[in-house]
Amino acid sequence: MSTRRYESRVRAQSAAQTRTDVLDAAQRLFVDQGYSSTTLQQVAVFAGVSVQTVYGQGSKASLMTAILQRAFTGDEEHVSLLARPEFAAIMAEENTSRALDGYVEFVVSANSRIADLHHAAALAADSDHSIGEELERSELRRIDDIRRGMPWFVGRQLLPPDDTDEFADVLSYLTSPQTHRYFTVERRWSTDAVARWLRTAIDSHLASPPQ
């Protein structure tokens, strides 16, 4: 490997780590003290970088946008959940009951990461329209993923084709960050209790029990 290529790789790794540090700091502050009360100067101090470095990562609204995407999927790429290998592996499980268990575990884990942040973003949307627009786009992508996943339930003989629209609406509600936060924060349920409830609720809306 040439020196130039090595130095280029090191710079790219350093830039990626800096962005991670900035996003981590912003996420912590947005959740702990609110979006409106957080300044980019505070983010810089918390991340251990200069204010200029934080400005180089984008506006406060763009940081929130990136954090929302990263929190649910693990990165900033706008890739359909159905196309992600870790999710595809869950749905490829031959035993349908185990596949649904994996799905519930995935959703509960993701919502545990994003619920408080999603709430902070919803509050911020009152004063920052760009945050509200991003939340709307994020919700539309989530609902689209759920609707695109309906053939899986039909193919596993869990639903008749005519019931998919209604079930997609039900599943959208059951798996939303707001629903997760209601139980874990407002009602103080454990994540295990939420997972049990979610699996039971999904099963209760299926035409045939999973095998």
Side-chain angles (χ1 to χ4, degrees), residues 155-175:
R156 297 283 179 126
Q157 300 182 330
L158 300 174
L159 285 176
D162 291 344
D163 289 354
T164 55
D165 285 346
E166 180 177 315
F167 180 66
D169 290 340
V170 169
L171 195 59
S172 296
Y173 173 77
L174 295 176
T175 61

Side-chain angles (χ1 to χ4, degrees), residues 1-208:
M1 179 182 296
S2 68
T3 301
R4 181 174 298 176
R5 287 176 59 191
Y6 173 77
E7 291 176 346
S8 177
R9 188 180 69 176
V10 170
R11 283 196 299 271
Q13 291 173 340
S14 177
Q17 184 59 54
T18 296
R19 182 161 180 81
T20 296
D21 292 343
V22 169
L23 293 181
D24 287 347
Q27 179 172 339
R28 176 68 178 272
L29 290 168
F30 290 160
V31 170
D32 287 353
Q33 65 183 35
Y35 175 85
S36 298
S37 299
T38 298
T39 67
L40 293 184
Q41 288 84 353
Q42 290 173 327
V43 173
V45 171
F46 205 93
V49 298
S50 68
V51 176
Q52 289 75 17
T53 296
V54 174
Y55 280 123
Q57 301 301 317
S59 66
K60 190 166 74 167
S62 70
L63 293 181
M64 174 63 93
T65 296
I67 292 165
L68 283 169
Q69 178 65 20
R70 186 188 68 162
F72 190 79
T73 62
D75 57 49
E76 297 181 53
E77 299 297 323
H78 292 294
V79 178
S80 169
L81 191 62
L82 302 178
R84 292 180 175 273
E86 63 273 25
F87 190 81
I90 292 171
M91 296 296 96
E93 165 63 51
E94 292 184 4
N95 183 284
T96 300
S97 185
R98 284 199 295 268
L100 286 173
D101 283 342
Y103 172 73
V104 165
E105 181 181 353
F106 181 93
V107 168
V108 171
S109 177
N111 278 335
S112 294
R113 295 192 301 270
I114 200 175
D116 286 341
L117 179 65
H118 191 279
H119 181 67
L123 295 176
D126 291 337
S127 59
D128 193 323
H129 294 307
S130 62
I131 299 300
E133 290 171 356
E134 176 56 29
L135 281 176
E136 183 177 359
R137 285 191 294 268
S138 177
E139 180 66 3
L140 289 174
R141 286 193 296 267
R142 190 180 73 84
I143 292 173
D144 183 61
D145 277 344
I146 288 173
R147 293 194 177 281
R148 290 174 59 193
M150 288 299 102
W152 185 89
F153 290 90
V154 174
R156 297 283 179 126
Q157 300 182 330
L158 300 174
L159 285 176
D162 291 344
D163 289 354
T164 55
D165 285 346
E166 180 177 315
F167 180 66
D169 290 340
V170 169
L171 195 59
S172 296
Y173 173 77
L174 295 176
T175 61
S176 73
Q178 298 96 315
T179 301
H180 179 92
R181 191 175 188 278
Y182 170 78
F183 285 117
T184 58
V185 176
E186 297 186 31
R187 308 316 308 164
R188 300 190 180 187
W189 285 23
S190 68
T191 54
D192 286 344
V194 172
R196 290 193 298 270
W197 166 80
L198 180 56
R199 176 58 199 273
T200 300
I202 290 173
D203 286 354
S204 70
H205 286 87
L206 298 176
S208 301

